[in-house]
């Protein structure tokens, strides 16, 4: 997928999806399988980071995804 060809709204929607997947995983109680594996699979962070690079390039208004470990 060529990120630079996506619309601003498309990028924001994909970015929100990554953030929601991470939040869902973080809300899953310890010992239960995470529904998305957003922290387990590096692809999630790489995808989120790539989207944020393009959003910054476009000077879009968005909240960065906080990938710091949740306790």
């Amino acid at each position: 997928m060529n990120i630079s060809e996506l619309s601003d709204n498309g990028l924001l929607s994909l970015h929100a999806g990554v953030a929601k997947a991470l939040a869902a995983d973080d809300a899953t109680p310890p010992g239960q399988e995470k529904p998305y594996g957003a922290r387990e699979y590096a692809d999630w962070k790489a995808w989120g980071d790539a989207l944020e690079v393009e959003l910054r390039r476009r000077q879009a208004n968005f909240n960065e995804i906080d990938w710091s470990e949740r306790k």
Side-chain angles (χ1 to χ4, degrees), residues 6-53:
L6 296 171
S7 68
D8 290 356
N9 283 336
L11 284 171
L12 290 166
S13 293
L14 290 168
H15 183 263
V18 173
K20 287 179 184 179
L22 181 62
D25 279 0
D26 287 346
T28 302
Q32 292 186 9
E33 185 176 343
K34 306 294 184 186
Y36 299 100
R39 293 188 188 281
E40 181 179 350
Y41 301 106
D43 300 26
W44 280 100
K45 185 168 185 327
W47 179 237
D49 289 348
L51 293 168
E52 288 184 355
V53 165

